[in-house]
Amino acid sequence: MKNDLITRLTTVLAGTLELDGGAMFGVVPQSVWSKAYPPEPGTNRCTWAMRCLLIETGDGRKILVDTGIGEKDDERFRKHFNPSVPQVLASGLKEAMIRPEEITDVLFTHLHFDHVGGASYLDEKGKAHLTFPNATHWVSGKHWNWANTPNAREAASFLPSNLNPLKDSGKLRFLPDQDSDFEWLSGIRLRTVYGHTEAMQLPLIDLPDGRKLAYCADLIPSAAHLSLPWVMAFDVRPLSTLEEKKRLLRDALAGDWTLLLEHDAKVAGGRLAENDRGRLTLTDTFDSFNYKG
Ligand SMILES: [Zn+2]
């Protein structure tokens, strides 16, 4: 048996936040999306999970995919997004018997604040530190440049308070941005997509037991987004999202993939299936995913 195979894979929750349903569902009218994904009473805001992935390999790597929103932000920011406090990433990792110092690699799908914020924290003097001090932090090089010279539409999502600690750490490495899927580590391929933001990267995972998983990040953030026109208003290239979603769903259906949903507050994922009316749905859904080799 190869010693770099995946030995464990588990979803780890990094808390919740609230985001406007209109922004999350784009052109879909409120009367429709509110039935599929009900907002908090009396508001237009829905509660979303921030669900990370912990992957362990036989050669000793402990990889965290995305890190949630973190706790560096001020009152004004918190009022806007109402993140769950305290955040649960640390306790989720503790439950998985992992100390922050043990994480060897952090992979960012992209650098919007709800994916990168948990990678750093402030001490009592307000100085920033890496949450996972021994980890190499990986992100697409093209996306890093994009995030550091943000357009006006995305500037509020790429916070210097999240990017600077990574920049200053000497622990940042860049991933290539190949248009075709490429192998990052044994059993983990990366697919680069451009609709949500520039060069977001999705892990496509082959488990040693033959199952295939896709971590959908913000391409398909929730089960409601399986429907093709349900594209976030945040996306910088919505028509690219449409094509990228079509491709992922086609591959998932043909290959019997399990989809892992980063933001769905009710369901962590499931196997993709087509019902008798030709609609794509998730079957065998689960609240958390756990593989142990
Ligand atoms: Zn995003």
Side-chain angles (χ1 to χ4, degrees):
M1 196 191 218
K2 279 170 73 187
N3 72 349
D4 56 353
L5 290 178
I6 293 171
T7 54
R8 184 185 185 197
L9 185 145
T10 177
T11 48
V12 181
L13 208 57
T16 59
L17 82 167
E18 290 179 8
L19 292 168
D20 185 88
M24 286 299 279
F25 293 116
V27 296
V28 179
Q30 202 252 5
S31 57
V32 177
W33 66 250
S34 62
K35 287 197 189 87
Y37 205 103
E40 295 304 314
T43 77
N44 230 36
R45 300 200 309 194
C46 304
T47 295
W48 304 91
M50 292 173 284
R51 189 173 289 108
C52 312
L53 210 55
L54 174 70
I55 305 170
E56 293 182 53
T57 63
D59 57 0
R61 286 178 109 134
K62 293 178 171 47
I63 304 155
L64 186 65
V65 181
D66 283 351
T67 62
I69 198 170
E71 301 192 37
K72 297 190 298 298
D73 307 296
D74 60 19
E75 193 56 37
R76 202 169 135 252
F77 180 92
R78 283 204 291 272
K79 225 171 128 187
H80 218 70
F81 300 106
N82 196 20
S84 52
V85 176
Q87 315 251 312
V88 293
L89 178 59
S91 55
L93 288 173
K94 206 171 167 187
E95 218 172 279
M97 308 285 279
I98 302 286
R99 287 178 293 112
E101 299 75 29
E102 291 180 278
I103 296 289
T104 59
D105 303 88
V106 175
L107 171 71
F108 299 113
T109 58
H110 64 301
L111 297 166
H112 286 161
F113 60 75
D114 51 327
H115 299 254
V116 67
S120 53
Y121 69 95
L122 300 177
D123 65 19
E124 316 80 71
K125 290 182 183 144
K127 190 174 179 312
H129 302 273
L130 292 186
T131 311
F132 308 102
N134 300 315
T136 303
H137 293 64
W138 301 88
V139 71
S140 140
K142 207 185 267 179
H143 183 71
W144 174 260
N145 292 335
W146 177 270
N148 279 278
T149 48
N151 60 75
R153 223 165 147 258
E154 277 185 289
S157 295
F158 293 127
L159 306 180
S161 58
N162 290 331
L163 303 183
N164 290 341
L166 292 172
K167 202 181 292 179
D168 299 340
S169 70
K171 297 249 176 204
L172 187 63
R173 298 283 177 281
F174 298 122
L175 291 159
D177 314 281
Q178 283 163 232
D179 279 336
S180 51
D181 302 347
F182 64 95
E183 186 173 73
W184 176 47
L185 299 173
S186 185
I188 308 177
R189 284 174 298 138
L190 296 178
R191 175 172 293 186
T192 310
V193 289
Y194 296 87
H196 177 61
T197 182
E198 178 78 353
M200 176 168 75
Q201 294 189 314
L202 313 178
L204 307 177
I205 298 157
D206 292 312
L207 291 179
D209 66 7
R211 280 183 291 172
K212 293 180 187 308
L213 312 171
Y215 184 73
C216 300
D218 283 356
L219 180 60
I220 305 174
S222 80
H225 291 88
L226 287 174
S227 178
L228 285 180
W230 294 50
V231 169
M232 288 193 244
F234 294 118
D235 287 17
V236 296
R237 304 180 189 100
L239 296 182
S240 300
T241 296
L242 212 57
E243 292 307 313
E244 291 161 353
K245 219 158 93 163
K246 247 191 237 174
R247 182 178 166 220
L248 188 84
L249 292 171
R250 201 172 49 222
D251 291 350
L253 206 55
D256 193 21
W257 294 4
T258 293
L259 302 184
L260 300 172
L261 304 172
E262 189 161 5
H263 286 307
D264 197 308
K266 287 177 234 89
V267 53
R271 276 178 46 233
L272 189 67
E274 204 168 7
N275 70 14
D276 41 16
R277 283 176 293 149
R279 255 189 79 188
L280 292 177
T281 58
L282 291 182
T283 61
D284 305 326
T285 55
F286 43 81
D287 298 334
S288 66
F289 188 91
N290 292 290
Y291 165 80
K292 207 151 176 38

